Amino acid sequence: LLVRVRGGRSALPLVAHLVSDTPKCEVERLLIDLLPKAFIHAVSNTDSTTEENDHLITCYRKIFDAVDADVRARVTKALYMVYRN
């Protein structure tokens, strides 16, 4: 899923479809672990463009908006714990 999403802006219209076809635990892992790490890596990489970084942010938001409320709650709780610690 991460590879598909990172594929570029053409993936954005398909996010809701991709999320619905992916198990909840995988989408949750993508939001809690994979996309944040990909973003941190991209920002720290001098070869990464602002457009690529912005694309990852947009993907995160679209995926977060496309998931069920229970997944959003678990993702929000996990991010809160990261910020709190």
Side-chain angles (χ1 to χ4, degrees), residues 6-54:
R6 291 184 86 177
R9 298 223 178 262
S10 62
L12 291 178
L14 304 173
V15 165
H17 177 69
L18 291 172
V19 167
S20 68
D21 287 349
T22 305
K24 286 183 181 183
C25 62
E26 290 298 317
V27 176
E28 189 173 331
R29 183 172 156 254
L30 178 72
L31 291 170
I32 292 173
D33 187 43
L34 299 176
L35 272 175
K37 284 181 181 176
F39 179 74
I40 290 169
H41 176 72
V43 170
S44 64
N45 184 352
T46 57
D47 294 332
S48 180
T49 66
T50 302
E51 183 178 288
E52 292 169 337
N53 300 343
D54 289 345

Side-chain angles (χ1 to χ4, degrees), residues 9 12 15 53-63:
R9 298 223 178 262
L12 291 178
V15 165
N53 300 343
D54 289 345
H55 175 70
L56 287 173
I57 293 168
T58 302
C59 288
Y60 187 93
R61 289 179 181 157
K62 288 208 173 262
I63 293 168

